[in-house]
Amino acid sequence: MKRYGNLYEKIYNMDNLVLAHQNARKGKTHYTDVQKVDADLELYLHAINQMLKDKTYRTSEYKIFAKHDGKKEREIFVLPYYPDRIIQWAIVQVLEPIWESTLITNTFSSLKGRGIHQGLVKLQKDLQNRKDTKYCLKFDIKKFYPSIDHAILKSIIRKKIKDEDVLELLDGIIDGAPGVPIGNYLSQYFGNLYLSEFDHWCKEHNHARYYYRYCDDVIVLNSDKSVLHRFVWAIRRYLATMLILVLKQNWQVFPTFVRGVDFLGYRCFGTYTLLRKSIVHRMILKLKQMSRFVTLTLRDKNVIASYHGWMVWCNSYRLERKYIAPLMGKGVLQ
């Protein structure tokens, strides 16, 4: 396996730092820290350049808060925009092509050209083979990001990176918090890397042809449900012994075309696709509230446009007519 060196200078190169700031600030130009950097870009980027050259950069202290996602509560870790978020973007811009080359095609999280809707299209296409996709195994991993083992993650990174300065920089970021903190820009890449060998093991060693992963949510399709039941035990053993992870107990094997495959926010039935019920319920509640207003704020319009974006990828004619169409007169999607 090829290992890459001579990368560190590319990370602190001024052109790379300028691009990192441009990418990191998208959608955040109202943040005070972003405005501060914008006001004297040369000063702040030269300071980052110097701290990386001198190897004096240390991960800043995290701000931690709880975020409710449906019934789940997650701890979100937030680092300052300057210098941490800019530095993480600078790292990703150099290392992303190397890391992406290790991932299987059917990984759809935080990768250019491989997002939610690309994954949905691939799943819809594969479900046309009704004979070989009759049953679905669906599972995820218990407390995935907080459970990532630092020593294992570092060893995985070292299989592709040999630049000692880069490794020292990454080790410092990894050791800055327990597990891999949700909220870090680098965390989504660390999560994909941590499960990369597991993906290859599923696809190549176990011949899981119809295998799809988004973060730690995985589905596997097969013509034989007994094959999928046996596969669960092999998965549990691999995760425990190789990655020190625990398979969540709510795994399921079910008939694909009866229940539909609930993945990536949609329920796919092969010939048609619906929005996930929980998304529909939240959408209806929000849109009903907005319909009472005479005028809508820009934020309201963005929320409605976002839901419209979800619906154009599935069979949602009735939902659009009932909940989106009445808002069109208020300047939404025009």
Side-chain angles (χ1 to χ4, degrees):
M1 181 182 290
K2 182 178 180 180
R3 299 174 71 224
Y4 292 82
N6 302 315
L7 300 169
Y8 193 63
E9 290 185 8
K10 295 179 182 179
I11 292 173
Y12 67 70
N13 175 275
M14 283 301 298
D15 289 338
N16 189 51
L17 293 179
V18 170
L19 181 61
H21 169 61
Q22 290 172 353
N23 285 323
R25 72 191 288 278
K26 288 177 181 175
K28 299 177 177 64
T29 53
H30 58 289
Y31 287 15
T32 303
D33 281 357
V34 176
Q35 293 173 355
K36 180 178 71 175
V37 176
D38 280 340
D40 200 340
L41 185 60
E42 187 174 349
L43 172 70
Y44 286 104
L45 294 190
H46 272 292
I48 292 176
N49 172 271
Q50 199 61 50
M51 69 176 72
L52 290 175
K53 276 185 181 178
D54 298 340
K55 301 179 187 175
T56 57
Y57 168 72
R58 299 292 181 271
T59 303
S60 302
E61 186 175 346
Y62 285 94
K63 291 183 179 178
I64 305 172
F65 65 93
K67 181 179 180 181
H68 294 273
D69 182 12
K71 296 180 180 179
K72 297 179 182 179
E73 181 178 291
R74 303 180 187 275
E75 275 195 332
I76 306 298
F77 291 67
V78 179
L79 286 171
Y81 178 81
Y82 171 85
D84 301 87
R85 193 162 181 86
I86 297 173
I87 287 175
Q88 291 200 14
W89 264 95
I91 292 169
V92 167
Q93 287 168 180
V94 173
L95 300 187
E96 184 179 45
I98 298 171
W99 286 342
E100 275 199 31
S101 68
T102 69
L103 304 176
I104 65 168
T105 305
N106 281 12
T107 300
F108 300 105
S109 172
S110 311
L111 298 168
K112 293 176 183 176
R114 281 195 271 167
I116 286 175
H117 296 120
Q118 288 79 10
L120 177 65
V121 169
K122 181 68 168 66
L123 177 60
Q124 289 170 329
K125 180 181 177 181
D126 289 344
L127 284 171
Q128 302 309 306
N129 182 352
R130 297 180 70 89
K131 178 182 176 183
D132 293 336
T133 60
K134 286 172 61 177
Y135 296 96
C136 177
L137 164 63
K138 181 177 171 64
F139 67 90
D140 61 346
I141 296 166
K142 185 176 181 180
K143 297 186 181 299
F144 172 57
Y145 283 103
S147 300
I148 289 178
D149 182 86
H150 287 187
I152 295 174
L153 176 59
K154 291 176 184 179
S155 71
I156 291 170
I157 290 171
R158 280 161 170 76
K159 291 180 180 180
K160 294 295 288 184
I161 307 296
K162 63 180 179 181
D163 186 315
E164 290 298 328
D165 291 333
V166 173
L167 293 172
E168 182 181 341
L169 177 61
L170 292 174
D171 287 352
I173 294 170
I174 291 168
D175 291 333
V180 165
I182 300 172
N184 261 6
Y185 183 59
L186 266 169
S187 294
Q188 51 201 355
Y189 292 90
F190 288 157
N192 272 333
L193 285 173
Y194 202 76
L195 291 178
S196 177
E197 292 183 6
F198 171 70
D199 294 338
H200 284 282
W201 174 80
C202 289
K203 291 279 291 178
E204 294 149 22
H205 179 76
N206 291 281
H207 310 292
R209 178 183 175 188
Y210 296 108
Y211 172 96
Y212 318 78
R213 179 172 65 81
Y214 185 87
C215 295
D216 64 314
D217 292 325
V218 180
I219 60 170
V220 186
L221 308 178
N222 197 279
S223 61
D224 188 342
K225 62 182 177 182
S226 64
V227 170
L228 296 177
H229 278 285
R230 289 195 299 270
F231 193 22
V232 171
W233 300 107
I235 289 168
R236 179 181 283 117
R237 187 165 56 249
Y238 182 100
L239 292 175
T241 57
M242 303 300 291
L243 297 175
I244 318 180
L245 295 173
V246 177
L247 179 70
K248 199 179 284 187
Q249 290 299 316
N250 63 350
W251 61 269
Q252 304 170 60
V253 174
F254 54 87
T256 304
F257 302 104
V258 175
R259 277 181 43 181
V261 179
D262 188 337
F263 190 57
L264 301 171
Y266 296 89
R267 290 170 62 211
C268 298
F269 291 85
T271 55
Y272 64 98
T273 301
L274 303 176
L275 264 180
R276 179 179 290 161
K277 287 182 179 180
S278 59
I279 294 176
V280 171
H281 291 159
R282 287 198 299 272
M283 179 192 73
I284 290 174
L285 182 63
K286 287 184 179 180
L287 296 186
K288 278 185 174 180
Q289 292 173 341
M290 291 177 189
S291 66
R292 299 173 188 151
F293 303 143
V294 176
T295 59
L296 298 174
T297 66
L298 178 60
R299 184 177 179 181
D300 291 334
K301 292 178 181 180
N302 288 337
V303 169
I304 295 164
S306 175
Y307 280 125
H308 176 72
W310 277 91
M311 285 190 278
V312 297
W313 290 89
C314 63
N315 301 92
S316 58
Y317 176 78
R318 291 183 181 178
L319 280 175
E320 290 216 50
R321 292 294 300 169
K322 187 171 183 179
Y323 297 104
I324 296 293
L327 296 167
M328 296 290 279
K330 298 184 179 183
V332 178
L333 305 176
Q334 291 182 344

PDB file of all heavy atoms in Angstrom, residues 286-287 289-306 327 329-333:
ATOM      1  N   LYS A 286     -43.971  22.186  11.015  1.00  0.00           N
ATOM      2  CA  LYS A 286     -43.338  23.481  10.736  1.00  0.00           C
ATOM      3  C   LYS A 286     -44.092  24.255   9.659  1.00  0.00           C
ATOM      4  O   LYS A 286     -44.307  25.458   9.785  1.00  0.00           O
ATOM      5  CB  LYS A 286     -41.883  23.269  10.309  1.00  0.00           C
ATOM      6  CG  LYS A 286     -40.960  22.860  11.440  1.00  0.00           C
ATOM      7  CD  LYS A 286     -39.522  22.772  10.967  1.00  0.00           C
ATOM      8  CE  LYS A 286     -38.595  22.392  12.110  1.00  0.00           C
ATOM      9  NZ  LYS A 286     -37.181  22.301  11.672  1.00  0.00           N
ATOM     10  N   LEU A 287     -44.492  23.561   8.599  1.00  0.00           N
ATOM     11  CA  LEU A 287     -45.163  24.257   7.496  1.00  0.00           C
ATOM     12  C   LEU A 287     -46.545  24.751   7.902  1.00  0.00           C
ATOM     13  O   LEU A 287     -46.999  25.803   7.443  1.00  0.00           O
ATOM     14  CB  LEU A 287     -45.249  23.347   6.272  1.00  0.00           C
ATOM     15  CG  LEU A 287     -43.910  22.941   5.632  1.00  0.00           C
ATOM     16  CD1 LEU A 287     -44.140  22.163   4.347  1.00  0.00           C
ATOM     17  CD2 LEU A 287     -43.029  24.146   5.365  1.00  0.00           C
ATOM     18  N   GLN A 289     -47.298  25.810  10.857  1.00  0.00           N
ATOM     19  CA  GLN A 289     -47.046  27.022  11.641  1.00  0.00           C
ATOM     20  C   GLN A 289     -46.749  28.207  10.727  1.00  0.00           C
ATOM     21  O   GLN A 289     -47.251  29.311  10.936  1.00  0.00           O
ATOM     22  CB  GLN A 289     -45.871  26.779  12.595  1.00  0.00           C
ATOM     23  CG  GLN A 289     -46.172  25.795  13.705  1.00  0.00           C
ATOM     24  CD  GLN A 289     -44.945  25.440  14.524  1.00  0.00           C
ATOM     25  OE1 GLN A 289     -43.809  25.636  14.079  1.00  0.00           O
ATOM     26  NE2 GLN A 289     -45.156  24.900  15.718  1.00  0.00           N
ATOM     27  N   MET A 290     -45.960  27.964   9.690  1.00  0.00           N
ATOM     28  CA  MET A 290     -45.586  29.047   8.766  1.00  0.00           C
ATOM     29  C   MET A 290     -46.772  29.545   7.948  1.00  0.00           C
ATOM     30  O   MET A 290     -46.834  30.711   7.584  1.00  0.00           O
ATOM     31  CB  MET A 290     -44.478  28.572   7.823  1.00  0.00           C
ATOM     32  CG  MET A 290     -43.149  28.337   8.497  1.00  0.00           C
ATOM     33  SD  MET A 290     -41.916  27.707   7.328  1.00  0.00           S
ATOM     34  CE  MET A 290     -40.579  27.277   8.452  1.00  0.00           C
ATOM     35  N   SER A 291     -47.694  28.642   7.659  1.00  0.00           N
ATOM     36  CA  SER A 291     -48.843  29.029   6.823  1.00  0.00           C
ATOM     37  C   SER A 291     -49.728  30.061   7.506  1.00  0.00           C
ATOM     38  O   SER A 291     -50.529  30.736   6.851  1.00  0.00           O
ATOM     39  CB  SER A 291     -49.670  27.785   6.462  1.00  0.00           C
ATOM     40  OG  SER A 291     -50.276  27.235   7.629  1.00  0.00           O
ATOM     41  N   ARG A 292     -49.590  30.231   8.824  1.00  0.00           N
ATOM     42  CA  ARG A 292     -50.396  31.206   9.549  1.00  0.00           C
ATOM     43  C   ARG A 292     -49.860  32.625   9.405  1.00  0.00           C
ATOM     44  O   ARG A 292     -50.556  33.590   9.720  1.00  0.00           O
ATOM     45  CB  ARG A 292     -50.452  30.835  11.036  1.00  0.00           C
ATOM     46  CG  ARG A 292     -51.075  29.467  11.310  1.00  0.00           C
ATOM     47  CD  ARG A 292     -50.929  29.100  12.775  1.00  0.00           C
ATOM     48  NE  ARG A 292     -51.340  27.726  13.022  1.00  0.00           N
ATOM     49  CZ  ARG A 292     -50.838  26.962  13.997  1.00  0.00           C
ATOM     50  NH1 ARG A 292     -49.919  27.459  14.796  1.00  0.00           N
ATOM     51  NH2 ARG A 292     -51.256  25.720  14.158  1.00  0.00           N
ATOM     52  N   PHE A 293     -48.600  32.753   8.978  1.00  0.00           N
ATOM     53  CA  PHE A 293     -47.978  34.073   8.887  1.00  0.00           C
ATOM     54  C   PHE A 293     -48.363  34.758   7.580  1.00  0.00           C
ATOM     55  O   PHE A 293     -48.464  34.121   6.531  1.00  0.00           O
ATOM     56  CB  PHE A 293     -46.459  33.969   8.969  1.00  0.00           C
ATOM     57  CG  PHE A 293     -45.963  33.283  10.216  1.00  0.00           C
ATOM     58  CD1 PHE A 293     -44.857  32.454  10.173  1.00  0.00           C
ATOM     59  CD2 PHE A 293     -46.603  33.474  11.425  1.00  0.00           C
ATOM     60  CE1 PHE A 293     -44.385  31.827  11.306  1.00  0.00           C
ATOM     61  CE2 PHE A 293     -46.144  32.852  12.578  1.00  0.00           C
ATOM     62  CZ  PHE A 293     -45.040  32.015  12.520  1.00  0.00           C
ATOM     63  N   VAL A 294     -48.535  36.070   7.643  1.00  0.00           N
ATOM     64  CA  VAL A 294     -48.845  36.844   6.437  1.00  0.00           C
ATOM     65  C   VAL A 294     -47.609  36.927   5.547  1.00  0.00           C
ATOM     66  O   VAL A 294     -47.691  36.784   4.326  1.00  0.00           O
ATOM     67  CB  VAL A 294     -49.329  38.265   6.818  1.00  0.00           C
ATOM     68  CG1 VAL A 294     -49.550  39.103   5.557  1.00  0.00           C
ATOM     69  CG2 VAL A 294     -50.596  38.181   7.654  1.00  0.00           C
ATOM     70  N   THR A 295     -46.475  37.159   6.160  1.00  0.00           N
ATOM     71  CA  THR A 295     -45.203  37.181   5.428  1.00  0.00           C
ATOM     72  C   THR A 295     -44.232  36.209   6.088  1.00  0.00           C
ATOM     73  O   THR A 295     -44.386  35.874   7.270  1.00  0.00           O
ATOM     74  CB  THR A 295     -44.589  38.593   5.416  1.00  0.00           C
ATOM     75  OG1 THR A 295     -44.374  39.017   6.765  1.00  0.00           O
ATOM     76  CG2 THR A 295     -45.486  39.566   4.683  1.00  0.00           C
ATOM     77  N   LEU A 296     -43.247  35.792   5.331  1.00  0.00           N
ATOM     78  CA  LEU A 296     -42.261  34.838   5.836  1.00  0.00           C
ATOM     79  C   LEU A 296     -40.877  35.467   5.889  1.00  0.00           C
ATOM     80  O   LEU A 296     -40.529  36.286   5.037  1.00  0.00           O
ATOM     81  CB  LEU A 296     -42.212  33.596   4.930  1.00  0.00           C
ATOM     82  CG  LEU A 296     -43.493  32.772   4.831  1.00  0.00           C
ATOM     83  CD1 LEU A 296     -43.327  31.671   3.785  1.00  0.00           C
ATOM     84  CD2 LEU A 296     -43.853  32.166   6.182  1.00  0.00           C
ATOM     85  N   THR A 297     -40.107  35.077   6.896  1.00  0.00           N
ATOM     86  CA  THR A 297     -38.726  35.557   6.996  1.00  0.00           C
ATOM     87  C   THR A 297     -37.858  34.782   6.005  1.00  0.00           C
ATOM     88  O   THR A 297     -38.265  33.743   5.466  1.00  0.00           O
ATOM     89  CB  THR A 297     -38.175  35.345   8.409  1.00  0.00           C
ATOM     90  OG1 THR A 297     -38.086  33.927   8.663  1.00  0.00           O
ATOM     91  CG2 THR A 297     -39.085  35.995   9.458  1.00  0.00           C
ATOM     92  N   LEU A 298     -36.660  35.282   5.769  1.00  0.00           N
ATOM     93  CA  LEU A 298     -35.720  34.582   4.886  1.00  0.00           C
ATOM     94  C   LEU A 298     -35.413  33.192   5.436  1.00  0.00           C
ATOM     95  O   LEU A 298     -35.305  32.218   4.676  1.00  0.00           O
ATOM     96  CB  LEU A 298     -34.428  35.397   4.754  1.00  0.00           C
ATOM     97  CG  LEU A 298     -33.321  34.766   3.892  1.00  0.00           C
ATOM     98  CD1 LEU A 298     -33.813  34.556   2.462  1.00  0.00           C
ATOM     99  CD2 LEU A 298     -32.072  35.646   3.909  1.00  0.00           C
ATOM    100  N   ARG A 299     -35.310  33.095   6.752  1.00  0.00           N
ATOM    101  CA  ARG A 299     -35.041  31.788   7.372  1.00  0.00           C
ATOM    102  C   ARG A 299     -36.188  30.817   7.105  1.00  0.00           C
ATOM    103  O   ARG A 299     -35.959  29.645   6.800  1.00  0.00           O
ATOM    104  CB  ARG A 299     -34.835  31.955   8.873  1.00  0.00           C
ATOM    105  CG  ARG A 299     -34.462  30.668   9.587  1.00  0.00           C
ATOM    106  CD  ARG A 299     -34.194  30.910  11.062  1.00  0.00           C
ATOM    107  NE  ARG A 299     -33.864  29.670  11.748  1.00  0.00           N
ATOM    108  CZ  ARG A 299     -33.604  29.586  13.050  1.00  0.00           C
ATOM    109  NH1 ARG A 299     -33.618  30.695  13.793  1.00  0.00           N
ATOM    110  NH2 ARG A 299     -33.316  28.421  13.608  1.00  0.00           N
ATOM    111  N   ASP A 300     -37.447  31.310   7.217  1.00  0.00           N
ATOM    112  CA  ASP A 300     -38.609  30.466   6.934  1.00  0.00           C
ATOM    113  C   ASP A 300     -38.561  29.953   5.495  1.00  0.00           C
ATOM    114  O   ASP A 300     -38.795  28.770   5.222  1.00  0.00           O
ATOM    115  CB  ASP A 300     -39.911  31.247   7.136  1.00  0.00           C
ATOM    116  CG  ASP A 300     -40.171  31.586   8.593  1.00  0.00           C
ATOM    117  OD1 ASP A 300     -39.668  30.858   9.459  1.00  0.00           O
ATOM    118  OD2 ASP A 300     -40.865  32.584   8.842  1.00  0.00           O
ATOM    119  N   LYS A 301     -38.235  30.868   4.569  1.00  0.00           N
ATOM    120  CA  LYS A 301     -38.186  30.491   3.151  1.00  0.00           C
ATOM    121  C   LYS A 301     -37.105  29.449   2.885  1.00  0.00           C
ATOM    122  O   LYS A 301     -37.301  28.536   2.077  1.00  0.00           O
ATOM    123  CB  LYS A 301     -37.960  31.738   2.293  1.00  0.00           C
ATOM    124  CG  LYS A 301     -39.135  32.709   2.301  1.00  0.00           C
ATOM    125  CD  LYS A 301     -38.834  33.954   1.477  1.00  0.00           C
ATOM    126  CE  LYS A 301     -40.003  34.931   1.519  1.00  0.00           C
ATOM    127  NZ  LYS A 301     -39.738  36.142   0.720  1.00  0.00           N
ATOM    128  N   ASN A 302     -35.983  29.592   3.580  1.00  0.00           N
ATOM    129  CA  ASN A 302     -34.904  28.609   3.411  1.00  0.00           C
ATOM    130  C   ASN A 302     -35.320  27.235   3.927  1.00  0.00           C
ATOM    131  O   ASN A 302     -34.980  26.209   3.336  1.00  0.00           O
ATOM    132  CB  ASN A 302     -33.642  29.085   4.133  1.00  0.00           C
ATOM    133  CG  ASN A 302     -32.972  30.248   3.433  1.00  0.00           C
ATOM    134  OD1 ASN A 302     -33.164  30.446   2.236  1.00  0.00           O
ATOM    135  ND2 ASN A 302     -32.179  31.017   4.163  1.00  0.00           N
ATOM    136  N   VAL A 303     -36.061  27.212   5.043  1.00  0.00           N
ATOM    137  CA  VAL A 303     -36.548  25.939   5.585  1.00  0.00           C
ATOM    138  C   VAL A 303     -37.507  25.278   4.594  1.00  0.00           C
ATOM    139  O   VAL A 303     -37.410  24.074   4.323  1.00  0.00           O
ATOM    140  CB  VAL A 303     -37.248  26.164   6.945  1.00  0.00           C
ATOM    141  CG1 VAL A 303     -37.999  24.898   7.374  1.00  0.00           C
ATOM    142  CG2 VAL A 303     -36.234  26.563   8.002  1.00  0.00           C
ATOM    143  N   ILE A 304     -38.409  26.061   4.025  1.00  0.00           N
ATOM    144  CA  ILE A 304     -39.381  25.520   3.066  1.00  0.00           C
ATOM    145  C   ILE A 304     -38.666  25.018   1.812  1.00  0.00           C
ATOM    146  O   ILE A 304     -38.972  23.934   1.291  1.00  0.00           O
ATOM    147  CB  ILE A 304     -40.429  26.599   2.706  1.00  0.00           C
ATOM    148  CG1 ILE A 304     -41.252  26.964   3.945  1.00  0.00           C
ATOM    149  CG2 ILE A 304     -41.355  26.103   1.590  1.00  0.00           C
ATOM    150  CD1 ILE A 304     -42.035  28.243   3.807  1.00  0.00           C
ATOM    151  N   ALA A 305     -37.691  25.799   1.330  1.00  0.00           N
ATOM    152  CA  ALA A 305     -36.930  25.378   0.155  1.00  0.00           C
ATOM    153  C   ALA A 305     -36.169  24.089   0.429  1.00  0.00           C
ATOM    154  O   ALA A 305     -36.040  23.225  -0.446  1.00  0.00           O
ATOM    155  CB  ALA A 305     -35.964  26.483  -0.260  1.00  0.00           C
ATOM    156  N   SER A 306     -35.688  23.935   1.659  1.00  0.00           N
ATOM    157  CA  SER A 306     -34.969  22.711   2.032  1.00  0.00           C
ATOM    158  C   SER A 306     -35.895  21.496   1.973  1.00  0.00           C
ATOM    159  O   SER A 306     -35.532  20.448   1.437  1.00  0.00           O
ATOM    160  CB  SER A 306     -34.380  22.867   3.440  1.00  0.00           C
ATOM    161  OG  SER A 306     -33.786  21.659   3.868  1.00  0.00           O
ATOM    162  N   LEU A 327     -47.873  27.949   0.059  1.00  0.00           N
ATOM    163  CA  LEU A 327     -46.882  28.942   0.462  1.00  0.00           C
ATOM    164  C   LEU A 327     -46.230  29.640  -0.721  1.00  0.00           C
ATOM    165  O   LEU A 327     -45.461  30.593  -0.540  1.00  0.00           O
ATOM    166  CB  LEU A 327     -45.798  28.268   1.311  1.00  0.00           C
ATOM    167  CG  LEU A 327     -46.293  27.689   2.648  1.00  0.00           C
ATOM    168  CD1 LEU A 327     -45.235  26.782   3.248  1.00  0.00           C
ATOM    169  CD2 LEU A 327     -46.628  28.800   3.621  1.00  0.00           C
ATOM    170  N   GLY A 329     -47.424  31.611  -2.881  1.00  0.00           N
ATOM    171  CA  GLY A 329     -47.844  33.003  -3.017  1.00  0.00           C
ATOM    172  C   GLY A 329     -47.112  33.937  -2.081  1.00  0.00           C
ATOM    173  O   GLY A 329     -47.212  35.154  -2.215  1.00  0.00           O
ATOM    174  N   LYS A 330     -46.393  33.385  -1.117  1.00  0.00           N
ATOM    175  CA  LYS A 330     -45.657  34.227  -0.167  1.00  0.00           C
ATOM    176  C   LYS A 330     -44.195  34.396  -0.574  1.00  0.00           C
ATOM    177  O   LYS A 330     -43.346  34.745   0.252  1.00  0.00           O
ATOM    178  CB  LYS A 330     -45.755  33.616   1.237  1.00  0.00           C
ATOM    179  CG  LYS A 330     -47.195  33.540   1.744  1.00  0.00           C
ATOM    180  CD  LYS A 330     -47.265  33.020   3.167  1.00  0.00           C
ATOM    181  CE  LYS A 330     -48.704  32.977   3.660  1.00  0.00           C
ATOM    182  NZ  LYS A 330     -48.795  32.534   5.067  1.00  0.00           N
ATOM    183  N   GLY A 331     -43.916  34.083  -1.836  1.00  0.00           N
ATOM    184  CA  GLY A 331     -42.567  34.337  -2.339  1.00  0.00           C
ATOM    185  C   GLY A 331     -41.593  33.205  -2.165  1.00  0.00           C
ATOM    186  O   GLY A 331     -40.401  33.363  -2.342  1.00  0.00           O
ATOM    187  N   VAL A 332     -42.111  32.031  -1.819  1.00  0.00           N
ATOM    188  CA  VAL A 332     -41.236  30.875  -1.631  1.00  0.00           C
ATOM    189  C   VAL A 332     -41.012  30.170  -2.971  1.00  0.00           C
ATOM    190  O   VAL A 332     -41.947  29.941  -3.720  1.00  0.00           O
ATOM    191  CB  VAL A 332     -41.860  29.898  -0.609  1.00  0.00           C
ATOM    192  CG1 VAL A 332     -40.961  28.671  -0.442  1.00  0.00           C
ATOM    193  CG2 VAL A 332     -42.078  30.584   0.711  1.00  0.00           C
ATOM    194  N   LEU A 333     -39.766  29.826  -3.276  1.00  0.00           N
ATOM    195  CA  LEU A 333     -39.391  29.059  -4.454  1.00  0.00           C
ATOM    196  C   LEU A 333     -39.779  29.750  -5.752  1.00  0.00           C
ATOM    197  O   LEU A 333     -40.082  29.109  -6.748  1.00  0.00           O
ATOM    198  CB  LEU A 333     -40.046  27.652  -4.403  1.00  0.00           C
ATOM    199  CG  LEU A 333     -39.782  26.828  -3.165  1.00  0.00           C
ATOM    200  CD1 LEU A 333     -40.558  25.532  -3.215  1.00  0.00           C
ATOM    201  CD2 LEU A 333     -38.309  26.556  -2.980  1.00  0.00           C
TER     202      LEU A 333
END
